Amino acid sequence: MTDQRTAPTRCGFVAIIGAPNAGKSTLLNRIAGAKLSIVSPKAQTTRFRIMGILMQEASQILLIDTPGIFQPRRRLDRAMVNAAWTGMHDADLTVLMVDAKAGISDLTDGILKRLEGTDREIWLVLNKVDLVEPQKLLPLIAGINARVTCKATFMVSAVTGEGVAELRDALAGAVPEGPHLYPDEELTDLPDRLLAAEIVREQILLQTHQEVPHETTVETESFKERRDGSVRIDANITVSRSGHKAILIGAGGARIKEIGARARLELTKLFDRKVHLFLTVKERANWDEKTQHIRALGLDD
């Protein structure tokens, strides 16, 4: 182990890019050892850049989980994809995450085309290797490297943790020398208000189906500390259609109560204190085409 008394401090930004559902958010949470980015089986779960702050001996690794790169259709989609590419260009090192089970899908192929000829430092991380026969991995690695030069390759399972420690150690040694940019005890640069909204949105993703989750946004209206040490959170859920509002509320309010109950449990664990959560569902047509809502998500319009 490196002697931290003599080791130079290191600090750098590492962007994680890839197609939707490659496992970027799961990897961020696994490396950070805490839930910083929401996860669901649905594509396009992450909407904006989320940074996890990881301390590894004398190194501070600033991990940026970017939205999955896909073919945009809406104004919101374009802002999400732009956030992913901007995150890469702002970083010291880029981790290209590929679902080993899916291989070079159409979306991954599009990402590789954009990366061809880049002078950025790229590391390849094959995820979900526990679901793939080992003999299929080397041809996949060779196919990717034939198009984009990857300085290093790691095979991991973000779900089980296989190979993640090796990746974390390598990142700690690769970020440039320099002072730490954030307090060592911090886990993320996201404000609590935004984390609360994301946890509510995660439950909407998990408990509703089809187009409802992707035409929904959540904003924290108020986040108030109480004298007893608990916190009261009031959040607005905005949908684009009246039918979606009915689905979210459910018969007799059952669905919105369940979303609130499960989100409250997650927030209680995240903030390590009692949480009082109050949700309101509003209908606002075409919210995902409006500048103020896109900017409220921390995205550039």
Side-chain angles (χ1 to χ4, degrees):
M1 182 177 293
T2 304
D3 186 346
Q4 294 187 51
R5 293 171 299 178
T6 58
T9 59
R10 293 178 175 272
C11 182
F13 292 89
V14 177
I16 308 172
I17 68 168
N21 275 1
K24 299 180 296 297
S25 297
T26 304
L27 179 66
L28 171 66
N29 293 341
R30 172 69 68 173
I31 292 180
K35 185 170 190 172
L36 304 179
S37 188
I38 67 172
V39 176
S40 91
K42 298 179 174 68
Q44 301 162 35
T45 298
T46 301
R47 281 184 172 163
F48 50 87
R49 284 175 284 170
I50 296 171
M51 190 175 75
I53 302 168
L54 171 66
M55 289 302 305
Q56 182 74 2
E57 297 186 352
S59 296
Q60 187 176 78
I61 309 167
L62 306 175
L63 286 164
I64 304 168
D65 177 21
T66 63
I69 298 171
F70 59 101
Q71 188 62 43
R73 292 176 294 133
R74 307 167 296 171
R75 196 171 185 178
L76 173 63
D77 295 343
R78 292 192 293 272
M80 289 164 58
V81 172
N82 180 64
W85 289 116
T86 302
M88 186 195 83
H89 288 295
D90 291 344
D92 298 291
L93 186 157
T94 299
V95 167
L96 169 61
M97 198 161 187
V98 175
D99 180 342
K101 187 176 180 182
I104 302 178
S105 63
D106 289 344
L107 288 172
T108 299
D109 179 69
I111 294 170
L112 291 174
K113 285 179 180 176
R114 178 125 179 205
L115 290 176
E116 288 175 2
T118 182
D119 58 357
R120 312 293 300 181
E121 182 174 337
I122 308 292
W123 287 16
L124 173 62
V125 172
L126 290 185
N127 188 30
K128 307 180 187 179
V129 295
D130 53 320
L131 305 178
V132 180
E133 296 175 3
Q135 62 268 27
K136 294 182 179 180
L137 296 175
L138 288 180
L140 177 58
I141 294 170
I144 293 171
N145 273 276
R147 300 175 60 180
V148 176
T149 301
C150 300
K151 186 174 180 179
T153 298
F154 296 86
M155 293 180 279
V156 309
S157 169
V159 170
T160 68
E162 178 185 346
V164 173
E166 291 81 358
L167 173 61
R168 183 180 62 232
D169 291 343
L171 289 172
V175 293
E177 291 187 15
H180 296 169
L181 299 179
Y182 293 86
D184 292 356
E185 66 276 6
E186 286 193 11
L187 289 175
T188 182
D189 66 336
L190 285 185
D192 289 346
R193 294 172 66 97
L194 196 49
L195 280 171
E198 282 293 277
I199 293 299
V200 173
R201 192 167 68 86
E202 178 181 46
Q203 288 305 318
I204 295 171
L205 285 161
L206 293 174
Q207 295 189 50
T208 59
H209 304 286
Q210 297 176 349
E211 76 277 11
V212 177
H214 298 303
E215 296 195 15
T216 302
T217 189
V218 182
E219 295 178 39
T220 301
E221 183 178 35
S222 67
F223 192 104
K224 296 180 180 178
E225 309 277 349
R226 292 163 55 113
R227 290 183 179 179
D228 62 1
S230 65
V231 61
R232 173 181 171 131
I233 302 171
D234 292 86
N236 292 328
I237 302 171
T238 301
V239 298
S240 57
R241 304 180 194 177
S242 58
H244 293 171
K245 182 176 181 179
I247 291 171
L248 276 175
I249 294 173
R255 174 65 56 77
I256 196 66
K257 287 178 183 176
E258 185 65 14
I259 289 171
R262 294 190 187 184
R264 189 180 301 111
L265 286 174
E266 288 292 330
L267 289 168
T268 298
K269 290 188 288 185
L270 183 64
F271 296 138
D272 195 24
R273 55 176 155 168
K274 188 173 182 179
V275 171
H276 307 275
L277 178 64
F278 299 88
L279 303 177
T280 303
V281 183
K282 299 180 178 181
E283 180 188 348
R284 190 168 294 148
N286 299 319
W287 68 264
D288 52 0
E289 294 286 349
K290 295 179 179 177
T291 297
Q292 65 267 33
H293 292 296
I294 293 173
R295 289 181 177 172
L297 293 171
L299 293 168
D300 292 326
D301 180 43

